[in-house]
mmCIF file of all heavy atoms in Angstrom:
data_model
loop_
_atom_site.group_PDB
_atom_site.id
_atom_site.type_symbol
_atom_site.label_atom_id
_atom_site.label_comp_id
_atom_site.label_asym_id
_atom_site.label_seq_id
_atom_site.Cartn_x
_atom_site.Cartn_y
_atom_site.Cartn_z
ATOM 1 N N ASP A 75 -0.707 2.180 4.017
ATOM 2 C CA ASP A 75 0.497 1.430 4.348
ATOM 3 C C ASP A 75 1.479 2.417 4.962
ATOM 4 O O ASP A 75 1.172 3.596 5.139
ATOM 5 C CB ASP A 75 1.057 0.710 3.123
ATOM 6 C CG ASP A 75 1.474 1.662 2.003
ATOM 7 O OD1 ASP A 75 1.252 2.885 2.131
ATOM 8 O OD2 ASP A 75 2.018 1.175 0.989
ATOM 9 N N MET A 76 2.668 1.964 5.294
ATOM 10 C CA MET A 76 3.604 2.848 5.971
ATOM 11 C C MET A 76 4.058 3.997 5.073
ATOM 12 O O MET A 76 4.261 5.129 5.546
ATOM 13 C CB MET A 76 4.816 2.060 6.472
ATOM 14 C CG MET A 76 5.768 2.877 7.333
ATOM 15 S SD MET A 76 4.996 3.680 8.778
ATOM 16 C CE MET A 76 4.702 2.258 9.818
ATOM 17 N N LEU A 77 4.190 3.736 3.772
ATOM 18 C CA LEU A 77 4.596 4.787 2.838
ATOM 19 C C LEU A 77 3.588 5.929 2.842
ATOM 20 O O LEU A 77 3.951 7.100 3.041
ATOM 21 C CB LEU A 77 4.743 4.211 1.427
ATOM 22 C CG LEU A 77 4.951 5.221 0.296
ATOM 23 C CD1 LEU A 77 6.217 6.038 0.509
ATOM 24 C CD2 LEU A 77 4.980 4.503 -1.056
ATOM 25 N N SER A 78 2.322 5.617 2.614
ATOM 26 C CA SER A 78 1.305 6.671 2.550
ATOM 27 C C SER A 78 1.141 7.355 3.907
ATOM 28 O O SER A 78 0.937 8.573 3.977
ATOM 29 C CB SER A 78 -0.030 6.091 2.077
ATOM 30 O OG SER A 78 -0.454 5.033 2.900
ATOM 31 N N SER A 79 1.279 6.616 4.994
ATOM 32 C CA SER A 79 1.121 7.197 6.326
ATOM 33 C C SER A 79 2.235 8.196 6.620
ATOM 34 O O SER A 79 1.985 9.281 7.176
ATOM 35 C CB SER A 79 1.115 6.091 7.387
ATOM 36 O OG SER A 79 0.071 5.169 7.145
ATOM 37 N N LEU A 80 3.471 7.854 6.266
ATOM 38 C CA LEU A 80 4.591 8.771 6.474
ATOM 39 C C LEU A 80 4.426 10.044 5.647
ATOM 40 O O LEU A 80 4.713 11.149 6.114
ATOM 41 C CB LEU A 80 5.906 8.079 6.107
ATOM 42 C CG LEU A 80 6.397 6.988 7.067
ATOM 43 C CD1 LEU A 80 7.586 6.245 6.460
ATOM 44 C CD2 LEU A 80 6.778 7.576 8.417
ATOM 45 N N LEU A 81 3.942 9.893 4.421
ATOM 46 C CA LEU A 81 3.762 11.054 3.550
ATOM 47 C C LEU A 81 2.619 11.941 4.040
ATOM 48 O O LEU A 81 2.683 13.171 3.919
ATOM 49 C CB LEU A 81 3.519 10.599 2.117
ATOM 50 C CG LEU A 81 4.707 9.917 1.425
ATOM 51 C CD1 LEU A 81 4.326 9.454 0.022
ATOM 52 C CD2 LEU A 81 5.913 10.836 1.368
ATOM 53 N N VAL A 82 1.578 11.333 4.592
ATOM 54 C CA VAL A 82 0.469 12.113 5.158
ATOM 55 C C VAL A 82 0.948 12.917 6.362
ATOM 56 O O VAL A 82 0.601 14.103 6.519
ATOM 57 C CB VAL A 82 -0.702 11.186 5.535
ATOM 58 C CG1 VAL A 82 -1.717 11.915 6.414
ATOM 59 C CG2 VAL A 82 -1.402 10.668 4.276
ATOM 60 N N LEU A 83 1.758 12.303 7.225
ATOM 61 C CA LEU A 83 2.306 13.030 8.369
ATOM 62 C C LEU A 83 3.176 14.196 7.904
ATOM 63 O O LEU A 83 3.058 15.324 8.419
ATOM 64 C CB LEU A 83 3.134 12.093 9.248
ATOM 65 C CG LEU A 83 3.897 12.767 10.409
ATOM 66 C CD1 LEU A 83 2.938 13.473 11.360
ATOM 67 C CD2 LEU A 83 4.755 11.751 11.151
ATOM 68 N N THR A 84 4.033 13.946 6.924
ATOM 69 C CA THR A 84 4.900 15.001 6.394
ATOM 70 C C THR A 84 4.074 16.140 5.813
ATOM 71 O O THR A 84 4.377 17.325 6.024
ATOM 72 C CB THR A 84 5.833 14.425 5.308
ATOM 73 O OG1 THR A 84 6.529 13.283 5.823
ATOM 74 C CG2 THR A 84 6.851 15.470 4.860
ATOM 75 N N THR A 85 3.017 15.803 5.095
ATOM 76 C CA THR A 85 2.120 16.810 4.514
ATOM 77 C C THR A 85 1.502 17.679 5.590
ATOM 78 O O THR A 85 1.447 18.913 5.461
ATOM 79 C CB THR A 85 1.011 16.120 3.691
ATOM 80 O OG1 THR A 85 1.599 15.400 2.614
ATOM 81 C CG2 THR A 85 0.020 17.130 3.140
ATOM 82 N N ASN A 86 1.038 17.065 6.661
ATOM 83 C CA ASN A 86 0.385 17.833 7.724
ATOM 84 C C ASN A 86 1.368 18.717 8.487
ATOM 85 O O ASN A 86 1.017 19.826 8.905
ATOM 86 C CB ASN A 86 -0.330 16.878 8.680
ATOM 87 C CG ASN A 86 -1.613 16.331 8.098
ATOM 88 O OD1 ASN A 86 -2.391 17.069 7.497
ATOM 89 N ND2 ASN A 86 -1.841 15.041 8.240
ATOM 90 N N ILE A 87 2.598 18.251 8.662
ATOM 91 C CA ILE A 87 3.614 19.089 9.309
ATOM 92 C C ILE A 87 3.898 20.324 8.454
ATOM 93 O O ILE A 87 3.981 21.447 8.961
ATOM 94 C CB ILE A 87 4.902 18.277 9.554
ATOM 95 C CG1 ILE A 87 4.672 17.215 10.627
ATOM 96 C CG2 ILE A 87 6.051 19.198 9.961
ATOM 97 C CD1 ILE A 87 5.816 16.231 10.784
ATOM 98 N N ILE A 88 4.044 20.114 7.154
ATOM 99 C CA ILE A 88 4.298 21.239 6.238
ATOM 100 C C ILE A 88 3.108 22.189 6.226
ATOM 101 O O ILE A 88 3.270 23.416 6.274
ATOM 102 C CB ILE A 88 4.602 20.710 4.830
ATOM 103 C CG1 ILE A 88 5.953 19.989 4.823
ATOM 104 C CG2 ILE A 88 4.604 21.839 3.797
ATOM 105 C CD1 ILE A 88 6.215 19.165 3.594
ATOM 106 N N GLY A 89 1.899 21.651 6.177
ATOM 107 C CA GLY A 89 0.705 22.496 6.200
ATOM 108 C C GLY A 89 0.638 23.338 7.462
ATOM 109 O O GLY A 89 0.284 24.524 7.405
ATOM 110 N N PHE A 90 0.984 22.749 8.595
ATOM 111 C CA PHE A 90 0.989 23.466 9.875
ATOM 112 C C PHE A 90 1.977 24.637 9.838
ATOM 113 O O PHE A 90 1.647 25.767 10.210
ATOM 114 C CB PHE A 90 1.361 22.494 10.993
ATOM 115 C CG PHE A 90 1.439 23.107 12.363
ATOM 116 C CD1 PHE A 90 0.291 23.313 13.106
ATOM 117 C CD2 PHE A 90 2.664 23.475 12.903
ATOM 118 C CE1 PHE A 90 0.357 23.877 14.383
ATOM 119 C CE2 PHE A 90 2.741 24.041 14.170
ATOM 120 C CZ PHE A 90 1.588 24.243 14.905
ATOM 121 N N ALA A 91 3.202 24.376 9.349
ATOM 122 C CA ALA A 91 4.228 25.419 9.292
ATOM 123 C C ALA A 91 3.844 26.533 8.326
ATOM 124 O O ALA A 91 4.018 27.725 8.631
ATOM 125 C CB ALA A 91 5.566 24.807 8.894
ATOM 126 N N VAL A 92 3.314 26.168 7.184
ATOM 127 C CA VAL A 92 2.944 27.169 6.179
ATOM 128 C C VAL A 92 1.791 28.036 6.678
ATOM 129 O O VAL A 92 1.740 29.243 6.403
ATOM 130 C CB VAL A 92 2.599 26.491 4.836
ATOM 131 C CG1 VAL A 92 1.977 27.492 3.861
ATOM 132 C CG2 VAL A 92 3.849 25.871 4.214
ATOM 133 N N LEU A 93 0.870 27.459 7.414
ATOM 134 C CA LEU A 93 -0.233 28.248 7.973
ATOM 135 C C LEU A 93 0.281 29.320 8.921
ATOM 136 O O LEU A 93 -0.154 30.482 8.859
ATOM 137 C CB LEU A 93 -1.220 27.328 8.695
ATOM 138 C CG LEU A 93 -2.205 26.564 7.817
ATOM 139 C CD1 LEU A 93 -2.975 25.552 8.649
ATOM 140 C CD2 LEU A 93 -3.169 27.510 7.112
ATOM 141 N N ILE A 94 1.199 28.956 9.802
ATOM 142 C CA ILE A 94 1.755 29.942 10.732
ATOM 143 C C ILE A 94 2.452 31.061 9.958
ATOM 144 O O ILE A 94 2.302 32.245 10.264
ATOM 145 C CB ILE A 94 2.746 29.265 11.705
ATOM 146 C CG1 ILE A 94 2.007 28.250 12.582
ATOM 147 C CG2 ILE A 94 3.436 30.317 12.579
ATOM 148 C CD1 ILE A 94 2.917 27.438 13.478
ATOM 149 N N TYR A 95 3.213 30.684 8.954
ATOM 150 C CA TYR A 95 3.908 31.668 8.111
ATOM 151 C C TYR A 95 2.903 32.581 7.407
ATOM 152 O O TYR A 95 3.128 33.788 7.270
ATOM 153 C CB TYR A 95 4.755 30.915 7.092
ATOM 154 C CG TYR A 95 5.765 31.747 6.339
ATOM 155 C CD1 TYR A 95 7.068 31.863 6.792
ATOM 156 C CD2 TYR A 95 5.430 32.379 5.140
ATOM 157 C CE1 TYR A 95 8.020 32.589 6.080
ATOM 158 C CE2 TYR A 95 6.359 33.113 4.428
ATOM 159 C CZ TYR A 95 7.658 33.214 4.902
ATOM 160 O OH TYR A 95 8.575 33.936 4.194
ATOM 161 N N SER A 96 1.788 32.001 6.983
ATOM 162 C CA SER A 96 0.769 32.770 6.256
ATOM 163 C C SER A 96 0.140 33.851 7.122
ATOM 164 O O SER A 96 -0.248 34.912 6.621
ATOM 165 C CB SER A 96 -0.330 31.833 5.740
ATOM 166 O OG SER A 96 0.180 30.882 4.830
ATOM 167 N N PHE A 97 0.027 33.598 8.425
ATOM 168 C CA PHE A 97 -0.594 34.578 9.318
ATOM 169 C C PHE A 97 0.089 35.932 9.230
ATOM 170 O O PHE A 97 -0.545 36.975 9.386
ATOM 171 C CB PHE A 97 -0.538 34.087 10.767
ATOM 172 C CG PHE A 97 -1.317 32.830 11.041
ATOM 173 C CD1 PHE A 97 -1.091 32.117 12.210
ATOM 174 C CD2 PHE A 97 -2.259 32.358 10.147
ATOM 175 C CE1 PHE A 97 -1.799 30.962 12.480
ATOM 176 C CE2 PHE A 97 -2.979 31.194 10.403
ATOM 177 C CZ PHE A 97 -2.740 30.491 11.578
ATOM 178 N N TYR A 98 1.408 35.932 8.971
ATOM 179 C CA TYR A 98 2.192 37.166 8.999
ATOM 180 C C TYR A 98 2.673 37.611 7.622
ATOM 181 O O TYR A 98 3.432 38.565 7.513
ATOM 182 C CB TYR A 98 3.406 36.979 9.917
ATOM 183 C CG TYR A 98 3.039 36.460 11.277
ATOM 184 C CD1 TYR A 98 3.300 35.139 11.629
ATOM 185 C CD2 TYR A 98 2.407 37.276 12.202
ATOM 186 C CE1 TYR A 98 2.943 34.655 12.874
ATOM 187 C CE2 TYR A 98 2.051 36.804 13.452
ATOM 188 C CZ TYR A 98 2.314 35.483 13.789
ATOM 189 O OH TYR A 98 1.952 35.002 15.020
ATOM 190 N N SER A 99 2.210 36.921 6.561
ATOM 191 C CA SER A 99 2.764 37.264 5.250
ATOM 192 C C SER A 99 1.756 37.284 4.105
ATOM 193 O O SER A 99 1.945 38.011 3.135
ATOM 194 C CB SER A 99 3.886 36.281 4.886
ATOM 195 O OG SER A 99 3.379 34.961 4.745
ATOM 196 N N ILE A 100 0.679 36.506 4.200
ATOM 197 C CA ILE A 100 -0.187 36.342 3.029
ATOM 198 C C ILE A 100 -1.050 37.572 2.777
ATOM 199 O O ILE A 100 -1.427 37.864 1.637
ATOM 200 C CB ILE A 100 -1.053 35.069 3.158
ATOM 201 C CG1 ILE A 100 -1.578 34.638 1.779
ATOM 202 C CG2 ILE A 100 -2.206 35.290 4.119
ATOM 203 C CD1 ILE A 100 -0.527 34.161 0.842
ATOM 204 N N GLY A 101 -1.393 38.318 3.820
ATOM 205 C CA GLY A 101 -2.169 39.546 3.661
ATOM 206 C C GLY A 101 -3.660 39.314 3.813
ATOM 207 O O GLY A 101 -4.202 38.302 3.374
ATOM 208 N N THR A 102 -4.342 40.278 4.428
ATOM 209 C CA THR A 102 -5.783 40.144 4.676
ATOM 210 C C THR A 102 -6.594 40.095 3.384
ATOM 211 O O THR A 102 -7.680 39.525 3.355
ATOM 212 C CB THR A 102 -6.286 41.300 5.554
ATOM 213 O OG1 THR A 102 -5.948 42.549 4.926
ATOM 214 C CG2 THR A 102 -5.652 41.254 6.934
ATOM 215 N N GLY A 103 -6.070 40.697 2.318
ATOM 216 C CA GLY A 103 -6.783 40.667 1.040
ATOM 217 C C GLY A 103 -7.024 39.249 0.556
ATOM 218 O O GLY A 103 -8.120 38.921 0.077
#
Side-chain angles (χ1 to χ4, degrees):
D75 62 355
M76 187 55 72
L77 171 60
S78 56
S79 301
L80 288 171
L81 293 178
V82 167
L83 174 60
T84 307
T85 298
N86 284 317
I87 291 171
I88 291 167
F90 178 81
V92 170
L93 281 172
I94 296 174
Y95 193 93
S96 298
F97 296 165
Y98 308 106
S99 64
I100 199 67
T102 56

